[in-house]
Amino acid sequence: MEARGYSFEAADASFELLLRDELAGTRKRHFTVESWRVIVEQRADGVLTSEATVRLGVKGERIIAVGEGNGPVNALDEALRTALGQAFGELATLELTDFKVRILEGSHGTGAVTRVLIDSRDGDGGTWSTVGVDENIINASWHALEEAVTYCLLKAGRDPE
């Protein structure tokens, strides 16, 4: 994975989730992702908005939620928290404190592999980092965001399904 651009030295939570998956022999999570999408719109008045829709499976139910934000990652974060908020109230204390993007192979221009690191904090003062890597910066961001939420739930003592 590190040959593809992952850096686990800077992403303690992603590394722990990877180890848990390996020990369990399967990927266990609190929710399943059916799909997600993001729309960025610039209106005639110059206002730029982002809207995200997520479709998740949570505790046997299908949940569809929409979020708006000042950018695509912020909109995805809002939609994900809206979808999971009813089932997992502890996510209300989750705060994304930093968002770092690094282009790993600059010779490919806009098709370059991108690494996204997200730093998070919970209401108890705990901090952790997650990583996502992809040629699509939004997909890399989604993976890091999904792991940040998953780790928050594990820290709160929630067992995955």
Side-chain angles (χ1 to χ4, degrees), residues 70-86:
N70 60 10
V73 178
N74 183 232
L76 280 169
D77 182 34
E78 291 295 324
L80 184 57
R81 288 177 198 238
T82 298
L84 297 174
Q86 292 289 330

Side-chain angles (χ1 to χ4, degrees), residues 17 20 41 56-59 61 69 82-83 88 91 99-100 107 125 127 147:
L17 291 174
R20 286 174 178 263
E41 175 184 24
L56 306 175
V58 182
K59 298 182 179 181
E61 290 186 42
T82 298
F88 306 111
L91 292 178
F99 178 81
K100 300 176 197 100
S107 65
T127 60
E147 289 197 348

